Amino acid sequence: MSATPAPGAAPKPRAELPDHAPHILIVDDDRRLRELLARFLSEQGFRVTAAASAAEARTRSQAFVFDALVLDVMMPGESGFDYARSVRETSLVPILMLTARSNPNDRVTGLEIGADDYLPKPFEPRELILRLNNIIRRHAAAPEPRAAAEGAVSFGPFTFRAERGELKRDGETVKIAEREREILAILSQARGGNVDRETLAGNGGFAAERTLDVQINRLRRKIEPDPANPSFLQTVRGVGYRLVID
């Protein structure tokens, strides 16, 4: 990302942002990048708070409720992966990992932890905005499928209550990420019927469908006795998936 102003260009006056503007927390130990991101996102209509470390991010989170986190991976002390893992213990806030670690294994690790998206550096600023808006919109829309599915569905030792987004195993709550709730809600609404991949992936094209595979595998590890041979969340070849309910 390059945000160096043209020689002689006057800085843009910062417009007052409405209270409902999405509030983003940037967590990155690179001061220059933090400042560039903060300026760019502000110009795009976001409210921005920045932190140089996971510890500082925790302090900021005590004072504000954020609509999304833009989180670096490689930071001194607590890594972005570790911080994202701790955030997911108590919060479903959308997380976009923004990092120079573009190895596919790192991307899978981020998604397994519960990140909603993963964008490697260097990146196209417009792509950052698109991805950020997408995860915020998806998070805001999550109650709709949950509300549409009436009552609870059971499969094996599990019960999923769509209206609450709550998954339990033998009465004990199972921790699941927001996207996993959305997937279960949509599958539950189908009441054992087939759901195509496009519906589960949402808007986002091929990249979203590739991410769906990771999310399905992550969910299977939480609900299947043998994730390699799923009994409940089954693949329907050429179509998508189905949840085998009792």
Side-chain angles (χ1 to χ4, degrees):
M1 175 179 180
S2 176
T4 304
K12 292 182 180 181
R14 180 171 295 181
E16 287 294 325
L17 295 174
D19 290 340
H20 64 269
H23 194 174
I24 309 301
L25 174 62
I26 300 169
V27 188
D28 198 305
D29 64 314
D30 185 328
R31 180 182 61 82
R32 181 175 178 275
L33 182 58
R34 284 199 313 274
E35 292 174 352
L36 289 173
L37 279 173
R39 183 172 63 186
F40 176 68
L41 291 177
S42 296
E43 291 172 353
Q44 299 301 313
F46 295 92
R47 288 181 293 145
V48 180
T49 296
S53 66
E56 186 178 353
R58 286 194 177 86
T59 300
R60 303 293 191 197
S61 296
Q62 291 173 357
F64 300 103
V65 175
F66 296 103
D67 295 286
L69 308 185
V70 176
L71 179 60
D72 186 27
V73 171
M74 296 185 291
M75 296 186 292
E78 186 176 2
S79 74
F81 284 154
D82 291 335
Y83 179 59
R85 193 177 285 111
S86 70
V87 167
R88 277 293 172 259
E89 292 178 356
T90 59
S91 173
L92 298 173
V93 61
I95 298 175
L96 189 153
M97 309 297 290
L98 183 64
T99 174
R101 293 176 62 166
S102 57
N103 185 293
N105 290 334
D106 291 324
R107 176 181 172 85
V108 170
T109 297
L111 295 172
E112 286 179 335
I113 287 169
D116 297 84
D117 207 344
Y118 196 104
L119 181 62
K121 303 173 184 175
F123 59 93
E124 165 58 48
R126 290 177 299 173
E127 182 178 4
L128 171 64
I129 295 299
L130 289 172
R131 288 174 178 264
L132 198 51
N133 279 326
N134 188 46
I135 63 173
I136 292 173
R137 183 168 56 248
R138 194 167 64 200
H139 180 79
E144 295 179 9
R146 291 203 295 265
E150 298 178 358
V153 296
S154 298
F155 47 101
F158 296 95
T159 300
F160 179 70
R161 293 189 175 277
E163 74 280 2
R164 300 178 187 173
E166 179 183 79
L167 178 66
K168 290 192 174 184
R169 178 190 176 104
D170 296 327
E172 296 293 325
T173 300
V174 179
K175 291 182 179 179
I176 53 176
E178 181 64 22
R179 276 294 288 138
E180 295 165 359
R181 284 185 173 85
E182 293 175 20
I183 290 169
L184 279 176
I186 295 169
L187 291 168
S188 298
Q189 187 176 2
R191 297 285 166 174
N194 299 339
V195 179
D196 61 73
R197 290 176 56 83
E198 291 79 5
T199 298
L200 289 170
N203 296 326
F206 180 71
E209 287 203 46
R210 290 292 300 272
T211 301
L212 175 65
D213 296 332
V214 175
Q215 294 159 341
I216 290 289
N217 289 335
R218 185 174 63 198
L219 182 55
R220 279 174 170 162
R221 286 197 289 272
K222 296 180 180 180
I223 67 174
E224 297 286 356
D226 181 3
N229 297 285
S231 302
F232 307 126
L233 208 176
Q234 297 184 349
T235 299
V236 182
R237 293 193 179 278
V239 179
Y241 298 93
R242 65 187 290 259
L243 183 66
V244 180
I245 61 178
D246 296 343

